[in-house]
Amino acid sequence: VVAWENDAISHKAEAKAYITVNVPQAGGLQVALEEAELRCEEITNLKLTGRINQEDFKFMLSNLNFLEALNLKDVKIVDCYIGGELEDNVIPYEAFWRYPYTLGNIMPTLKYIVFPDNLKKIGSYAFRGTSLCHEIILPEGLTYVGDHAFDNTDVNSSHGWGSLGIWYTNTMRRISLPSTLKYIGDGA
């Protein structure tokens, strides 16, 4: 267990500890957790290093049912679908949400996310139905946020439209938009 990085803004000034797991080969998150003798139901705060892909996102969605904080700052994301094509440095389409809303098909406990610095795109519906709240810091270099990417979260609810098509709420303290952002989808 490693102390949470000193990031009081994006973590609501709460002290956290998280488990750091290195995934040496994309698609190997499950194996990495098994080798570290970590039980999915005990993981609430997780930092990933190494390489992850679409299969690792599916594994997180299906198995890390109590995950509250996810730090992807030092991970390389490869081979994920967004817009029908495999790409690197993207959060895939429906990463933490699956239609329809059914038990086990959303990650309602996910409250905090730290994005990798090299992130280029966030897929449609990526965080729909999660509990992301308070602050979202999108990294410089991000060019695309897909339709409904943050729909039905504490970041995005029915309080009204903010600038650039981003919903706002009373719980959202700040959303940092990079200067490189070229597209924000409907209901994002």
Side-chain angles (χ1 to χ4, degrees):
V1 177
V2 179
W4 189 265
E5 66 187 31
N6 185 12
D7 186 1
I9 294 172
S10 66
H11 299 100
K12 227 174 81 179
E14 296 175 5
K16 293 191 181 297
Y18 67 102
I19 298 167
T20 300
V21 175
N22 182 50
V23 183
Q25 182 176 348
L29 177 58
Q30 181 176 358
V31 170
L33 292 175
E34 289 170 357
E35 288 176 352
E37 298 180 2
L38 296 170
R39 297 175 42 172
C40 292
E41 61 272 11
E42 296 174 350
I43 298 172
T44 57
N45 302 322
L46 179 65
K47 179 177 182 178
L48 296 177
T49 62
R51 299 170 64 88
I52 62 172
N53 66 11
Q54 185 94 21
E55 293 306 312
D56 297 311
F57 280 99
K58 287 179 184 177
F59 177 81
M60 285 188 274
L61 176 63
S62 297
N63 296 283
L64 299 182
N65 298 321
F66 301 100
L67 188 64
E68 293 182 8
L70 179 61
N71 185 329
L72 301 174
K73 187 164 184 64
D74 298 321
V75 76
K76 171 75 173 165
I77 302 171
V78 298
D79 297 333
C80 290
Y81 281 99
I82 189 167
E85 296 182 24
L86 277 176
E87 296 188 39
D88 294 344
N89 302 318
V90 301
I91 302 291
Y93 173 79
E94 296 183 342
F96 297 102
W97 179 79
R98 295 287 182 261
Y99 180 83
Y101 288 113
T102 59
L103 186 60
N105 284 346
I106 60 172
M107 190 169 279
T109 59
L110 186 63
K111 296 177 183 177
Y112 306 102
I113 182 85
V114 178
F115 295 109
D117 290 336
N118 62 359
L119 188 67
K120 300 295 179 206
K121 297 180 180 180
I122 297 174
S124 296
Y125 304 97
F127 295 97
R128 186 176 192 179
T130 65
S131 295
L132 288 179
C133 58
H134 300 288
E135 182 166 17
I136 300 293
I137 299 174
L138 301 174
E140 275 303 315
L142 183 75
T143 60
Y144 176 94
V145 176
D147 294 345
H148 304 282
F150 296 98
D151 188 26
N152 200 27
T153 67
D154 285 343
V155 171
N156 175 344
S157 72
S158 59
H159 290 113
W161 284 103
S163 63
L164 299 173
I166 299 287
W167 284 91
Y168 67 88
T169 71
N170 293 333
T171 61
M172 185 174 70
R173 292 185 180 169
R174 187 177 91 185
I175 185 162
S176 297
L177 301 175
S179 63
T180 54
L181 192 60
K182 296 180 186 333
Y183 177 83
I184 299 175
D186 291 339

